[in-house]
Amino acid sequence: PEERMMFGRVVYIPIKCELGNVLPGGATLVVPDMELARDIHEHFDIPLRSAEAIAIALECGGRVFLSDRKAYEVAVKLGLDAILITP
């Protein structure tokens, strides 16, 4: 995907993510590898959207932000730089 820089970092956003009418500057919409995402979803029993974010992080590199604790733990086990977002 085309890369745009935001504060010195590329920001990848799953294509299905609801962002409203404004795309943050420097963001790149990407389509996750759905086969990989489904495998992660089924193997680790985490939400599909979280699995899609993890698949993107595995493919593109970088940090992944997750709101599901179990998905966060999976991302860390897979060696990703993961951030748990708590409400």
Side-chain angles (χ1 to χ4, degrees):
E2 178 185 337
E3 296 180 357
R4 297 182 194 147
M5 300 303 285
M6 183 168 101
F7 303 112
R9 292 186 176 243
V10 176
V11 178
Y12 296 103
I13 300 173
I15 196 87
K16 296 177 186 176
C17 189
E18 293 182 26
L19 298 172
N21 295 329
V22 179
L23 182 64
T28 299
L29 293 175
V30 294
V31 177
D33 177 335
M34 287 309 296
E35 184 175 340
L36 176 60
R38 277 191 218 96
D39 287 347
I40 293 168
H41 162 68
E42 292 172 4
H43 182 77
F44 295 105
D45 190 30
I46 61 172
L48 183 57
R49 294 279 191 246
S50 296
E52 290 173 359
I54 290 171
I56 290 170
L58 288 169
E59 292 178 286
C60 299
R63 185 175 292 154
V64 61
F65 294 84
L66 298 159
S67 59
D68 182 84
R69 179 166 293 282
K70 188 173 182 182
Y72 163 78
E73 291 169 359
V74 168
V76 170
K77 284 180 187 177
L78 293 175
L80 295 172
D81 181 7
I83 304 294
L84 179 63
I85 301 170
T86 55

